[in-house]
């Protein structure tokens, strides 16, 4: 398989700076640099940590919201700007509140409102929002996707999460801006690997079609 230009990782489980230094060094050995957020433990639930990694020599920048919301502060999502030829691609890495979190539905709905309100502020810039949403796409649409955000769900619709109890579900998926939708070549779920609960999801873009 051709090495990915971008990797979005959830549940790194890295909670200390010394462990983070080791993870960054390991990523650099594979020619990846990127934006990391530490795993956090709160009274509600622990975030497993996020990493948005760009393959060298692609420039990137970690972006902090002008007015950070509580879910960004909890490490549930991050924003990385990645330079692609003539434009900047905005990458939102998402880790939704897991099942079993107190007030789960309310927390998820509040997070989607925060995230998609932020995305709406990007205007017509191309963006990708992806990760382990801990909710299925149809549940997300019902709560927060509105016309001004203009997100497009892509992919083959296959389940990505295989819990020990219960039926498989599609919890890992990509949303892209309408400006990026015509650039999607393929989006699909990979095979179940050594960590079988979640399947990786791949997105292939032809960014020449943006121009």
């Amino acid at each position: 398989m051709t090495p990915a230009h971008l990797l979005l990782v959830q549940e790194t489980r890295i909670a200390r700076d010394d462990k983070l230094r080791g993870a960054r060094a390991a990523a650099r050995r594979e020619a990846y640099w990127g934006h990391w957020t530490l795993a956090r433990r709160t009274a509600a639930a622990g975030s497993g940590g996020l990493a948005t990694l760009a393959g060298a020599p692609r420039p990137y920048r970690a972006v902090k919201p002008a007015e950070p919301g509580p879910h960004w502060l909890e490490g549930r999502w991050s924003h990385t700007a990645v330079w692609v030829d003539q434009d900047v691609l905005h990458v939102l890495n998402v880790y939704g509140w897991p099942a079993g979190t107190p007030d789960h539905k309310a927390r998820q709905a509040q997070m989607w409102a925060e995230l998609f309100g932020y995305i709406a502020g990007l205007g017509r810039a191309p963006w990708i929002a992806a990760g382990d949403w801990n909710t299925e796409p149809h549940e997300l649409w019902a709560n927060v996707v509105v016309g001004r955000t203009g997100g497009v769900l892509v992919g083959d619709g296959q389940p990505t999460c295989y819990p020990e109890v219960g039926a498989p579900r599609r919890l890992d998926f990509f949303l892209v801006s309408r400006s990026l939708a015509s650039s999607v070549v393929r989006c699909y779920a990979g095979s179940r690997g050594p960590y079988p609960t979640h399947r990786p999801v791949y997105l292939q873009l032809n960014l020449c079609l943006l121009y």
Side-chain angles (χ1 to χ4, degrees):
M1 179 181 293
T2 303
H5 294 293
L6 290 174
L7 296 174
L8 276 67
V9 185
Q10 301 82 42
E11 289 264 41
T12 64
R13 301 189 180 183
I14 298 170
R16 303 201 320 256
D17 287 335
D18 59 334
K19 297 291 186 181
L20 179 57
R21 287 192 293 271
R24 282 175 166 161
R28 286 196 296 269
R29 288 194 291 272
E30 301 298 326
Y32 283 99
W33 283 257
H35 177 195
W36 300 74
T37 64
L38 290 173
R40 305 185 186 198
R41 176 63 58 183
T42 68
S47 170
L50 301 171
T52 302
L53 306 178
R58 194 169 299 280
Y60 72 92
R61 178 173 63 89
V63 181
K64 179 180 179 179
E67 297 182 5
H71 301 274
W72 185 89
L73 292 171
E74 291 277 6
R76 308 312 303 186
W77 62 275
S78 66
H79 176 194
T80 308
V82 181
W83 273 256
V84 180
D85 298 326
Q86 306 172 48
D87 214 332
V88 175
L89 179 63
H90 297 272
V91 181
L92 292 302
N93 195 345
V94 180
Y95 182 48
W97 291 98
T101 302
D103 301 318
H104 178 253
K105 289 185 178 179
R107 286 181 181 274
Q108 288 281 69
Q110 292 163 5
M111 177 176 168
W112 308 146
E114 177 181 303
L115 173 64
F116 284 92
Y118 180 81
I119 288 174
L122 298 176
R124 296 187 178 183
W127 57 264
I128 293 170
D132 177 3
W133 299 78
N134 275 312
T135 195
E136 294 193 278
H138 70 274
E139 297 169 325
L140 185 67
W141 296 139
N143 288 324
V144 301
V145 176
V146 295
R148 67 188 180 123
T149 302
V152 177
L153 175 68
V154 295
D156 57 11
Q158 296 298 311
T160 63
C161 179
Y162 293 79
E164 294 182 359
V165 178
R169 304 178 69 199
R170 186 186 184 190
L171 302 183
D172 312 85
F173 51 88
F174 282 87
L175 302 177
V176 303
S177 62
R178 293 192 182 278
S179 61
L180 202 59
S182 61
S183 299
V184 175
V185 176
R186 188 183 181 198
C187 183
Y188 62 98
S191 59
R192 297 171 68 183
Y195 305 102
T197 303
H198 288 267
R199 298 165 67 187
V201 182
Y202 301 94
L203 175 67
Q204 181 181 357
L205 298 171
N206 181 357
L207 294 177
C208 294
L209 299 177
L210 271 175
Y211 311 111

